[in-house]
Amino acid sequence: MMKIKRFPIQFDAWYGVLSNALFLPPSSSYVEVNDVEVRVQMSWAFRSHFLKTAVASATETTVRPLSRGVHGFAGRWLVNGSGHGILIINLIPAQRGYVMGFPVRLKQLMVSVVEPAALAAELQSSGTCQ
């Protein structure tokens, strides 16, 4: 049986209230990692599922985006409930994500998580990440 580690997506208090009103609750927003796969979910707004070996790098950033939610263009997607705890995950090859059910290309995922250093370490544990 594979052990799954769940890393909640971080939400600012004010955005947590707003997102609940939009049926985008923090309780259904997370990154799950097991020995083989990574699953990212922000309620109904975003989801992706890919092999852990596709993670080329995972690094924390001090950049604090002003926007909240799911935003992206040209394969770069920001999935956040906060401007803090942003982890940049680069994927090679590009993977598939879904925004409101529509397929998108995913080369880079920036996600706000409660424990970005712990998630980065978990993603690097496969030995494929730099």
Side-chain angles (χ1 to χ4, degrees):
M1 184 172 176
M2 274 194 244
K3 184 176 180 184
I4 298 172
K5 292 186 181 178
R6 182 177 277 200
F7 299 87
I9 290 180
Q10 183 165 300
F11 280 73
D12 294 332
W14 67 268
Y15 189 67
V17 172
L18 177 61
S19 65
N20 271 315
L22 298 171
F23 303 103
L24 192 71
S27 61
S28 63
S29 302
Y30 53 83
V31 179
E32 284 184 342
V33 182
N34 65 34
D35 294 339
V36 179
E37 300 170 321
V38 179
R39 182 177 304 273
V40 182
Q41 179 100 25
M42 190 167 195
S43 192
W44 54 265
F46 181 88
R47 67 182 166 87
S48 185
H49 178 236
F50 49 86
L51 292 176
K52 197 173 172 182
T53 56
V55 177
S57 65
T59 55
E60 289 184 73
T61 183
T62 57
V63 173
R64 303 283 181 242
L66 296 176
S67 64
R68 305 292 184 265
V70 178
H71 310 279
F73 180 73
R76 296 182 68 217
W77 287 88
L78 171 64
V79 177
N80 70 323
S82 175
H84 298 279
I86 305 289
L87 186 69
I88 299 173
I89 304 168
N90 290 302
L91 301 164
I92 298 175
Q95 300 296 303
R96 175 72 62 206
Y98 295 87
V99 176
M100 298 185 333
F102 293 96
V104 297
R105 187 172 181 207
L106 188 59
K107 296 189 298 185
Q108 184 180 75
L109 174 64
M110 295 166 283
V111 61
S112 65
V113 291
V114 175
E115 299 177 273
L119 175 55
E122 188 62 32
L123 292 172
Q124 294 170 358
S125 69
S126 69
T128 61
C129 211
Q130 300 174 1

